[in-house]
């Protein structure tokens, strides 16, 4: 703990994901005063036909 | 908010997903008195070897 | 299956929740052609200090 | 209910998943005194570039 | 990893939860060949007005 | 999107949560090149009797 789940559209590079998990872990340890080893992050990629807002699939925006 | 996550078996068409997110968004706005723009829906498709009931994988039902 | 999770702010009445789960279940059975008995819905209420958008907690909007 | 979600790295065989859902369902029914039919399990496989600990993606460990 | 989330109705004793997490962890390590230290379990208790099946809240069954 | 869920033990102050959501949102926008308005964060507090590691509830560590 903490365990963090990120739901995001696909299309980011490994380099972007590398940066994200580093910076999010820093954000957690700085504010919640815990060790980096305690922070787990999981990314779920959600395709454009599996996300909707205002009743419309992302593929139809 | 609200954010809605749907875990479902694969095999539905885009047309079915289009209908689902439209009708679910209507259900939320009608009952919870919020704007459609506030409603986000995420679909997670779960394959038949990743779902179990009564201790048995869906592929073995 | 399907299993649906709704993350929403607190403050809705039982009557509103009753309406929501009825109408969401109808939305699922109508579009995904499954039995109502197959549809499970879980509501998670998220307090205003546990929701953020654009980097700000809901209590500070 | 109960509904159980397992987030795990890929690479397990069907036989391992079969054993897991059987034994986890037994663990639930034995301790929580419910029927096996009431227990649903969902597995989410998380690829090595979508898991991080201590600020590092699993592919970089 | 694995990370396991259990959604369940309230009303179980600490002793039942103690048994559940021990037996579920055994189920994971036995089948997935991982160390017990790698297994995290989170329980979310869902009240009877926040669970629905077949379009009806649990409080109305 | 992205939608971020944080599962954490209780006990952090509002000020700590305020800092967390600000810094996590910065981490997302900097790395994933999206607008802050697109970033939603939800915090789930998990009590010490609802978290387990290595088969033991947190209250027994």
């Amino acid at each position: 703990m903490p365990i963090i789940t990120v739901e995001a559209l696909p299309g980011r590079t490994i380099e972007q994901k590398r940066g994200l998990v580093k910076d999010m872990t820093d954000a957690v340890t700085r504010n919640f005063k815990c060790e980096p080893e305690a922070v787990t992050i999981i990314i779920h990629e959600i395709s454009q036909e599996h996300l909707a807002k205002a009743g419309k699939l992302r593929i139809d925006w």
Side-chain angles (χ1 to χ4, degrees), chain A residues 17-27 41:
Chain A
K17 293 172 188 173
R18 220 171 241 141
L20 180 77
V21 299
K22 186 182 175 320
D23 291 351
M24 285 185 77
T25 302
D26 288 350
I41 301 176

Side-chain angles (χ1 to χ4, degrees), chain A residues 1-2 4 22-39:
Chain A
M1 290 286 246
I4 293 156
K22 186 182 175 320
D23 291 351
M24 285 185 77
T25 302
D26 288 350
V28 176
T29 57
R30 191 182 324 126
N31 289 286
F32 274 19
K33 312 294 173 209
C34 57
E35 295 301 305
E37 286 70 24
V39 182

Side-chain angles (χ1 to χ4, degrees), chain A residues 9 46-61:
Chain A
L9 290 168
I46 307 298
S47 76
Q48 303 216 352
E49 76 179 67
H50 288 155
L51 171 67
K53 202 157 187 176
K56 274 185 196 294
L57 293 178
R58 183 72 167 78
I59 48 169
D60 296 327
W61 293 4

